[in-house]
């Protein structure tokens, strides 16, 4: 997604190169005017994490958060955000102009350097965390693009179309 690309460009410009770093850009089906305050508070509890932004949009009824760090810190932050935001999202009355597939629409983990993308442990970490999400919250997880295990659907817009309506 474009937000992940912007964060990677920011990281390159600010020379964030220590350790293997990941960019995580969860997209939520919620509008929350106090999102930035909540995310900042959670990020402070997560050492080694860089918070890049937290933005909410009324027209889209969508919030995008962006942070980077070692995989364990990024997955911990994502878990904390899910615990904070998922109970507050009710899709039965959700309106907004952006296509979505659920309360947590996407949760991309992007290695900040191409050499990490070729590492097989990348897919193991992502798959393991996807399983933890399902076990903890009971929400389906669909891996897409490079994380997909089958040839279809790999493309996010195609996957959204195949999911059908959210009840």
């Amino acid at each position: 997604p474009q937000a992940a690309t912007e964060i990677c460009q920011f990281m390159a410009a600010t020379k964030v190169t220590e350790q293997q770093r990941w960019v995580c850009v969860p997209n939520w089906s919620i509008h929350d005017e106090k999102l930035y305050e909540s995310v900042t508070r959670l990020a402070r509890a997560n050492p080694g994490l860089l918070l890049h932004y937290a933005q909410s949009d009324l027209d889209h009824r969508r919030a995008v958060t962006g942070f980077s760090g070692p995989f364990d810190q990024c997955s911990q932050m994502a878990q904390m955000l899910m615990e904070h935001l998922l109970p507050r999202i009710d899709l039965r009355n959700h309106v907004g102009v952006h296509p979505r597939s659920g309360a947590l629409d996407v949760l991309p983990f992007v290695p900040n350097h191409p050499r990490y993308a070729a590492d097989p442990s990348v897919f193991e970490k992502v798959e393991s965390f996807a399983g933890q999400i399902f076990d903890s919250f009971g929400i389906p997880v669909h891996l897409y693009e490079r994380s997909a295990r089958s040839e279809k659907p790999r493309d996010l817009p195609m996957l959204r179309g195949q999911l059908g309506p959210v009840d």
Side-chain angles (χ1 to χ4, degrees), residues 69-90:
F71 187 86
D72 291 343
Q73 278 78 18
C74 285
S75 59
Q76 181 180 6
M77 179 65 171
Q79 179 88 16
M80 290 170 24
L81 284 169
M82 284 183 264
E83 290 167 0
H84 177 72
L85 292 172
L86 289 177
R88 300 171 47 216
I89 300 173
D90 182 353

Side-chain angles (χ1 to χ4, degrees), residues 133-145:
I133 292 170
F134 180 77
D135 291 344
S136 296
F137 301 100
I139 57 177
V141 177
H142 303 276
L143 300 175
Y144 65 99
E145 294 186 9

Side-chain angles (χ1 to χ4, degrees), residues 20-22 109-123 146:
Q20 180 174 340
R21 287 210 172 260
W22 295 73
F109 281 87
V110 182
N112 78 333
H113 194 281
R115 74 173 173 256
Y116 302 135
D119 182 352
S121 70
V122 167
F123 301 108
R146 291 186 185 139

Side-chain angles (χ1 to χ4, degrees), residues 88-122:
R88 300 171 47 216
I89 300 173
D90 182 353
L91 294 178
R92 291 174 293 186
N93 298 313
H94 186 275
V95 293
V97 296
H98 195 284
R100 57 168 170 77
S101 61
L104 172 56
D105 184 38
V106 293
L107 178 63
F109 281 87
V110 182
N112 78 333
H113 194 281
R115 74 173 173 256
Y116 302 135
D119 182 352
S121 70
V122 167

Side-chain angles (χ1 to χ4, degrees), residues 28-42:
W28 312 90
S29 296
I30 190 172
H31 170 65
D32 181 352
E33 292 180 7
K34 297 186 179 190
L35 178 76
Y36 187 79
E37 294 168 24
S38 301
V39 172
T40 301
R41 187 179 69 254
L42 293 171

